[in-house]
Each structure stands twice: as C-alpha cells, then as structure tokens.
Amino acid sequence: MNAESRRVTPSVPSRLAVPAGVLAAVAAAFAYVGTVDPNEPGHYPACPLLRYTGLYCPGCGGLRSAHAFVHGDLLAALHANALATLGYLGFAVLWTVWVVHAVRGQPLRIAPPPGLMWSLGALLLVFTVVRNLPFGGWLHP
C-alpha cells in the first residue's frame, strides 16, 4: 500500500474548524466594538497620526464604521470610513469562498496578480490623500 492510498481525507467539520475560528474571532471583535461605543471618548486610543499631525490615516474612523455597521447603519458606516466598510463586505465574500472550498475539500489559494495589489495600494493612497484635502471633507470620519 503506497502513501497515496493511505491518505485520510479530513471530515467536513474538521475542515471547517479554522474558518469557524476566524469567524468567531471577527464576530467577537465586532461584538465588542458594537457594545463599547467608539464615539464616546476614553474607550479606545486616539490615532497617533491624527493626534500629532491632524491628518486622517486610512484607518481613521474604522472603529466608528464597525460600530455603525454592527448596528445596521450602513450610511453612517460608509461616512465614518468607506474603505473599511467595503473591507467588511470583502471579508464576508472571501470567507464565504473559503468555506465553500473547505466543504468541497479544496484548498483555498489566494494569489492576487500584482496589478490588483498595486491597484489596491493606489486606491488606499488616493483615499488617504483625498480625505485630507479640503474637497474631501465628505470622507472625514
């Protein structure tokens, strides 16, 4: 008997253990942010870039966005940090694809092309610059 024929295929519950653990961790983080309001001062540390330079980093407003998202206020979440809100939805899609692959017993291989990575980096940079310009006030948290 060779090694290939002796290989045991993991059961569906064991293949779903890691995606379930990741979902539990993300759900716990969102539950905490949904419970402890970031709009009230003193609960979370201030953004050091904003504190020392007055500039909004790409993450500024992310906790307020998550809080609004948990409470079902999608417009407030988008206003607090549009990219973070899109990131939450992107995570949900990616996690769902991961679970489908796990159920089917297929490994999930994420190999984004360099062009996509450069485009995402450029989007992040443009978002950061525009939200700090006078006409980008609508992107302020």
Side-chain angles (χ1 to χ4, degrees):
M1 210 176 201
N2 63 19
E4 279 296 315
S5 63
R6 285 184 283 151
R7 185 176 297 173
V8 177
T9 304
S11 66
V12 172
S14 67
R15 290 192 309 255
L16 291 175
V18 174
V22 169
L23 182 63
V26 169
F30 270 85
Y32 180 80
V33 172
T35 304
V36 181
D37 191 353
N39 295 302
E40 296 177 14
H43 291 293
Y44 300 97
C47 172
L49 184 68
L50 181 61
R51 174 180 275 168
Y52 296 117
T53 67
L55 297 174
Y56 295 107
C57 77
C60 279
L63 289 173
R64 289 185 289 274
S65 174
H67 181 79
F69 192 83
V70 167
H71 290 277
D73 192 350
L74 190 57
L75 287 177
L78 284 167
H79 178 70
N81 191 318
L83 280 184
T85 305
L86 293 175
Y88 310 147
L89 299 175
F91 170 80
V93 168
L94 184 60
W95 185 85
T96 303
V97 169
W98 186 14
V99 167
V100 169
H101 276 76
V103 167
R104 293 180 179 167
Q106 303 167 338
L108 179 63
R109 289 184 177 82
I110 300 174
L116 176 63
M117 298 306 293
W118 281 101
S119 297
L120 290 174
L123 174 67
L124 194 64
L125 180 64
V126 168
F127 174 73
T128 303
V129 170
V130 169
R131 77 188 316 207
N132 285 292
L133 293 174
F135 65 86
W138 56 280
L139 290 173
H140 291 178

